[in-house]
Amino acid sequence: MKHILEERANVLARETGCIERQRKFSGADLLQTLVFGWLSHPDASLERLASMATIRKVEVTDTALHKRFTEPCAHFLHAVFEEMASVVVEASQDVPLELLCRFQSVVLEDRSSIALPEELAEQWQGCGGSPGKGQAAVKLHVRWELKRGQVQGPRLTHGRIIDRSSPFKDDGLPVGSLYIADLGYLDWGAIAARRAAGSYTLTRAQARTNYWTPEGKPLELDALLPQQVGQTHERWVRVGKEHRHLMRLLILRVPQDGASRRRANLEADAKRRAQPVREQAWKLADWTILLTDVPANLLNLQEALVLVRERWQMEMLYKLWKQYGRIDEWRTTNPWRVLCELYAKLIGLLLQHWLILLFAWQDEQRRMPQTGTGGPRYRQFAAGSFCRGALVSLCPTSHPTSHAFRVPNEQAQKASQFRPTPPAEIDQLGFESLSWCVWGGMQKPPNRSVLKLREYLPRTM
């Protein structure tokens, strides 16, 4: 954390041309002001960001900060983000679930898209239009390991890149690992290569998938579909016209209400794409159909159904990044400030994830707050406490001589609810809240994590 946010930040700021002559801001000052400013308040104004800069002993006006949002600044934050995303942090112990412990690792992969202003189409190409023109969008690709929580990425690609061309495509997995991804990542060649390397795959089956018997004879799916709700069917089949990879076909007949929800989702998706619903997909909505090359003695049908549902953990991760980190929201029409804000927020969210892995991964209370409990508000307070503590800790001097935030005028002082926390209170209040910063907080403070924090942080930060 200190290496990237202090040492590398200054080097990358000069290499990208963001800091040519250091006057007030160094690369580390600018980076930490933006990262911790938006991490504390995802909708922070220029005034609030300038107040955050005072912890680094930088007195800067709103106008001067606004002028920093340039193309070189965006390249600088992108370079820092790339270095952050290359670091893989994991918890010290596996999650104590026997089903997960059967595999060397259990890896989820998914992506999420963020629409950008059209002026950025040359930087990040969206769908439609020629390169450099039309829509602009960026895709965030993430691999998340469930046993120890490590996140690979996010790796950024143009919005028009298909899922099967994921930047993780050529990255191998440890022998004995299990890979779970959405249908967009379904690639029979990649599945066969993964199995040849000693790892497994669990995926839903596409409606248009063709099947063959292990001996190579065509197989009609209709004859295998169970007709009673709750009935299952399992057998070995070959899939993929070219590879004919041997996998287990797992089928479950679902209740009518579940099938109705699936058909409603199919209609909504077809309407969004302006395409008709495929007849075969509509018909197969009554069944859950999975494919896996994990042997039955290692994973039975019921356990496969449990694990494939865990793919929604990725949906929750992106939801929290967007709902609380607001990576897809900004208060500006300046396209370069939009990019700067996106990169800075992603850096902050990676820091949050590192902290939950180091200090609260084993805590049972690690979950998203319920609606109406005030969780998001407490999370914002907790993130703010962490930001102030981290900025003080990363500052070259032990502590700033003045801890007061810059308040331009009396009206702003009355309007602002963002108040500094003296260093004496940070250890008691801010660092106790560290494990609340990630994934939207928890219902009550995790005592074991707090003890670990108090033992660890004074030596490292």
Side-chain angles (χ1 to χ4, degrees):
M1 182 174 172
K2 189 151 188 164
H3 171 69
I4 295 178
L5 299 188
E6 284 284 349
E7 300 169 15
R8 290 296 296 162
N10 290 327
V11 173
L12 293 173
R14 296 188 184 94
E15 290 180 353
T16 56
C18 179
I19 303 293
E20 295 181 352
R21 292 178 297 171
Q22 182 174 333
R23 294 179 180 175
K24 290 188 176 181
F25 270 124
S26 66
D29 294 332
L30 178 60
L31 173 66
Q32 293 176 38
T33 295
L34 300 181
V35 169
F36 293 120
W38 276 315
L39 179 59
S40 176
H41 294 269
D43 58 348
S45 62
L46 290 173
E47 174 187 304
R48 202 178 286 271
L49 293 174
S51 295
M52 182 66 73
T54 60
I55 298 184
R56 295 283 301 184
K57 291 188 174 181
V58 176
E59 295 290 339
V60 64
T61 64
D62 304 349
T63 302
L65 189 58
H66 173 72
K67 292 180 179 179
R68 289 285 180 177
F69 296 120
T70 60
E71 183 176 357
C73 183
H75 292 324
F76 161 58
L77 292 171
H78 185 221
V80 174
F81 168 71
E82 290 290 320
E83 292 212 5
M84 289 281 296
S86 67
V87 178
V88 178
V89 177
E90 64 179 22
S92 59
Q93 298 178 1
D94 293 344
V95 172
L97 296 176
E98 190 272 336
L99 179 56
L100 297 182
C101 292
R102 298 176 193 175
F103 303 95
Q104 183 66 27
S105 63
V106 179
V107 177
L108 308 179
E109 182 171 355
D110 206 349
R111 58 95 187 103
S112 184
S113 297
I114 297 177
L116 298 173
E118 292 183 0
E119 295 88 341
L120 296 173
E122 187 173 347
Q123 303 290 324
W124 297 109
Q125 301 167 16
C127 297
S130 58
K133 297 181 180 180
Q135 299 179 2
V138 61
K139 275 188 178 180
L140 282 63
H141 299 261
V142 171
R143 276 189 176 182
W144 187 4
E145 203 281 308
L146 288 182
K147 291 176 65 177
R148 295 198 173 190
Q150 60 181 254
V151 161
Q152 289 181 268
R155 295 186 186 176
L156 307 184
T157 66
H158 297 290
R160 61 172 60 190
I161 299 298
I162 62 175
D163 294 348
R164 286 195 299 275
S165 299
S166 162
F168 296 107
K169 183 176 181 179
D170 297 327
D171 292 4
L173 296 174
V175 175
S177 298
L178 177 64
Y179 175 84
I180 306 172
D182 198 6
L183 283 177
Y185 292 89
L186 187 60
D187 184 331
W188 302 121
I191 290 175
R194 204 175 293 125
R195 185 68 201 100
S199 56
Y200 304 103
T201 301
L202 173 63
T203 180
R204 292 187 296 137
Q206 290 179 328
R208 61 178 183 269
T209 301
N210 295 320
Y211 303 93
W212 293 266
T213 65
E215 294 76 26
K217 297 181 179 180
L219 187 63
E220 290 296 330
L221 182 62
D222 291 348
L224 306 177
L225 298 175
Q227 300 304 311
Q228 299 295 324
V229 173
Q231 282 187 337
T232 63
H233 183 81
E234 176 180 348
R235 66 172 297 164
W236 285 95
V237 297
R238 293 192 180 274
V239 290
K241 291 184 179 180
E242 297 179 3
H243 300 87
R244 299 288 179 96
H245 184 56
L246 188 63
M247 303 188 78
R248 289 166 58 211
L249 176 65
L250 312 175
I251 308 175
L252 169 70
R253 178 66 185 256
V254 301
Q256 185 58 44
D257 57 345
S260 299
R261 286 195 298 270
R262 289 179 178 179
R263 292 191 171 100
N265 292 336
L266 287 172
E267 288 182 331
D269 187 61
K271 183 178 180 180
R272 179 177 62 86
R273 298 174 181 270
Q275 297 177 352
V277 179
R278 292 183 176 178
E279 182 180 351
Q280 184 69 357
W282 185 270
K283 174 185 174 182
L284 294 179
D286 288 312
W287 293 271
T288 294
I289 305 176
L290 306 180
L291 287 167
T292 183
D293 45 19
V294 183
N297 61 353
L298 194 58
L299 186 72
N300 62 37
L301 190 150
Q302 288 75 21
E303 293 167 336
L305 291 169
V306 170
L307 283 178
V308 82
R309 292 191 190 103
E310 291 305 302
R311 188 181 58 81
W312 287 101
Q313 294 293 331
M314 292 296 299
E315 301 288 344
M316 294 300 297
L317 183 70
Y318 284 124
K319 178 181 178 180
L320 289 168
W321 284 3
K322 291 183 176 181
Q323 183 174 349
Y324 297 123
R326 299 184 190 176
I327 58 177
D328 58 346
E329 298 179 24
W330 35 80
R331 301 173 54 179
T332 180
T333 57
N334 178 359
W336 295 116
R337 178 176 168 182
V338 169
L339 270 190
C340 290
E341 189 165 342
L342 172 63
Y343 298 146
K345 286 179 176 179
L346 287 174
I347 292 171
L349 291 170
L350 277 177
L351 289 173
Q352 286 189 343
H353 192 82
W354 291 358
L355 292 169
I356 197 70
L357 297 182
L358 294 174
F359 305 123
W361 182 248
Q362 297 296 322
D363 200 288
E364 299 173 349
Q365 302 167 40
R366 175 172 47 82
R367 62 181 182 269
M368 190 173 73
Q370 300 296 321
T371 303
T373 61
R377 181 178 298 177
Y378 189 87
R379 177 198 176 278
Q380 187 180 60
F381 156 76
S385 300
F386 160 64
C387 294
R388 293 191 287 273
L391 273 173
V392 169
S393 303
L394 290 168
C395 196
T397 55
S398 58
H399 291 298
T401 55
S402 173
H403 307 289
F405 277 70
R406 166 186 169 277
V407 181
N409 52 57
E410 184 177 355
Q411 182 179 3
Q413 184 175 10
K414 293 179 180 179
S416 175
Q417 296 181 359
F418 186 60
R419 296 291 183 266
T421 302
E425 298 179 16
I426 287 176
D427 181 64
Q428 179 182 356
L429 177 62
F431 288 149
E432 282 192 6
S433 306
L434 271 178
S435 57
W436 287 62
C437 293
V438 192
W439 299 349
M442 307 179 195
Q443 297 298 320
K444 57 183 179 179
N447 295 328
R448 296 194 301 273
S449 300
V450 171
L451 292 176
K452 292 179 183 178
L453 284 171
R454 287 177 174 170
E455 294 174 358
Y456 180 79
L457 286 171
R459 296 196 298 271
T460 59
M461 297 181 69

